[in-house]
Amino acid sequence: MISALFPLARPLLHGLDAETAHDLTLRALALLPPRTPAAADPRLTIDLFGKRFPNPVGLAAGFDKGARVPDAMLGLGFGFVEVGGVVPRPQPGNPKPRVFRLAGDRAVINRFGLNSEGLDAVADRLRARQGRGGVVGVNIGANKEAVDRLADYVACTRSLAPLVDFITVNISSPNTPGLRDLQGEAFLDDLLARTIAARDEAHPGTAVLLKIAPDISLDALDAMTATALRRGVQALVVSNTTVARPDFLTEKRIAGETGGLSGRPLFAPSTRLLAETFLRVGRQIPLIGVGGIDSAEAAWTKIRAGANLIQLYSALVYEGPGLVETIKSGLSARLKAEGLSGLEAVIGRDANELTKLAG
């Protein structure tokens, strides 16, 4: 029903500024009664870091920053949900307006600046949903004014590790000044060491993931993947939003807004980086492909580039929640056409080719 209503609601939502429309969407989702999604095609099941994912299609961080509707999103058919980003102390983020639709490009620019209700509010909501099932993770960051940013990641990890299946260390948001500096090799090594130690103390069964930016050089990628492997990170998330502005964007005026660009224009660069990452880590560490996924074909390409799982968010603005089932059915159709019993044989099989993806 929700998917059927979206075409009617979209003109109304898009008549509002993007942040207001998103807030109204969250409020509506919070009112939904509990819902068990339809059984997924067993060929889409993925087992990673001790968790069973009923399908590989996940909700990316940023949609549900406050952990208000993870169960509603699981009920819409997502195989897993990542809430957040979360920082220890409440912070309002950047001044409004701070999120912009580029409808002609099927894209979004945001400069939220990790607006967050803070660690305590999110922990309370995650604690309240314990025992409901479903794979739920949380994306963590540092307060803008933090004196010791590494300590912020440790605080979030200690509090949230017992409440979620995975924690994603976000060092790649372009909207918090200096945050991407933590991608440097020495900083990253210390950050991961302290975060994983905090996880081990709080709840060893929770996986630690690392989310990287699409704008890094291949030399930086070499260093980051080596550090992640050495420290025992359990998956890499490739990638966050980009500060680049491709020449082909049609919404030139809006493209001039500062912030991270997501959606369809991010597909090619994020997929190239995903393929490059797979060539460096192979099967040693799972990869989660993010960026520009708005169709089953795009999802299939991410898997061919090396993704074990995928995540989407911006495409929901344009395609609505029905996109989740569209992608799942499209992946099933691909497996059937190729006579495959699961996605494992597809993961990374075309990584070499996709490092040269045009766009």
Side-chain angles (χ1 to χ4, degrees):
M1 181 183 294
I2 296 170
S3 299
L5 289 174
F6 180 75
L8 300 175
R10 180 169 51 194
L12 299 175
L13 291 171
H14 284 213
L16 303 169
D17 73 87
E19 188 165 355
T20 299
H22 184 70
D23 290 342
L24 288 174
T25 299
L26 287 175
R27 292 186 186 188
L29 288 166
L31 297 174
L32 291 177
R35 180 176 183 268
T36 301
D41 181 346
R43 294 174 299 179
L44 298 181
T45 301
I46 300 284
D47 292 314
L48 289 179
F49 37 84
K51 309 296 177 185
R52 171 151 289 192
F53 295 75
N55 68 76
V57 185
L59 178 66
F63 181 89
D64 185 11
K65 289 176 177 286
R68 294 179 175 274
V69 294
D71 294 295
M73 301 312 288
L74 289 169
L76 291 176
F78 281 102
F80 64 107
V81 168
E82 184 175 331
V83 303
V86 182
V87 294
R89 293 164 298 285
Q91 65 181 19
N94 293 323
K96 298 178 182 179
R98 53 194 180 178
V99 58
F100 310 89
R101 304 183 197 92
L102 291 75
D105 300 297
R106 284 296 196 265
V108 174
I109 291 173
N110 92 81
R111 53 170 179 264
F112 280 112
L114 279 176
N115 56 310
S116 173
E117 295 175 82
L119 180 55
D120 290 344
V122 172
D124 285 346
R125 293 189 189 114
L126 290 171
R127 193 174 294 111
R129 72 164 302 274
Q130 291 296 282
R132 295 182 191 171
V135 180
V136 174
V138 63
N139 183 291
I140 62 171
N143 279 105
K144 182 178 179 179
E145 304 300 334
V147 176
D148 183 352
R149 287 186 166 173
L150 301 192
D152 279 10
Y153 287 92
V154 169
C156 287
T157 300
R158 284 178 176 156
S159 178
L160 297 174
L163 306 176
V164 293
D165 297 294
F166 65 89
I167 288 176
T168 300
V169 177
N170 180 7
I171 55 171
S172 51
S173 169
N175 301 314
T176 299
L179 190 68
R180 288 191 173 185
D181 294 344
L182 297 179
Q183 294 182 127
E185 190 170 4
F187 283 112
L188 180 60
D189 187 67
D190 193 16
L191 170 62
L192 293 178
R194 291 175 62 178
T195 300
I196 290 171
R199 183 277 312 272
D200 290 345
E201 293 173 8
H203 195 266
T206 299
V208 172
L209 285 55
L210 176 66
K211 189 168 188 174
I212 65 177
D215 308 308
I216 60 173
S217 68
L218 294 183
D219 286 344
L221 181 63
D222 289 337
M224 292 180 70
T225 52
T227 301
L229 288 168
R230 184 172 64 252
R231 285 298 177 187
V233 168
Q234 284 153 295
L236 292 171
V237 185
V238 188
S239 64
N240 214 315
T241 59
T242 179
V243 296
R245 296 293 185 269
D247 291 338
F248 61 75
L249 292 176
T250 62
E251 303 273 8
K252 300 296 185 184
R253 181 184 61 81
I254 303 174
E257 296 286 351
T258 59
L261 175 71
S262 61
R264 188 174 291 172
L266 183 57
F267 179 75
S270 63
T271 304
R272 288 195 297 266
L273 186 67
L274 174 66
E276 292 283 4
T277 305
F278 181 82
L279 294 180
R280 284 157 175 78
V281 304
R283 302 281 178 163
Q284 297 178 81
I285 182 172
L287 304 179
I288 301 177
V290 194
I293 299 171
D294 58 6
S295 66
E297 181 65 28
W300 185 255
T301 302
K302 290 285 189 185
I303 296 167
R304 290 167 47 224
N308 299 73
L309 302 169
I310 61 169
Q311 288 180 317
L312 56 89
Y313 169 12
S314 296
L316 296 176
V317 174
Y318 301 104
E319 306 300 331
L323 177 62
V324 180
E325 294 301 328
T326 298
I327 290 175
K328 287 156 56 178
S329 63
L331 293 177
S332 294
R334 282 280 192 166
L335 291 174
K336 181 179 180 180
E338 297 196 16
L340 298 173
S341 60
L343 293 169
E344 185 66 25
V346 184
I347 296 168
R349 74 179 187 189
D350 298 316
N352 274 301
E353 171 191 338
L354 289 168
T355 60
K356 304 174 181 66
L357 182 66

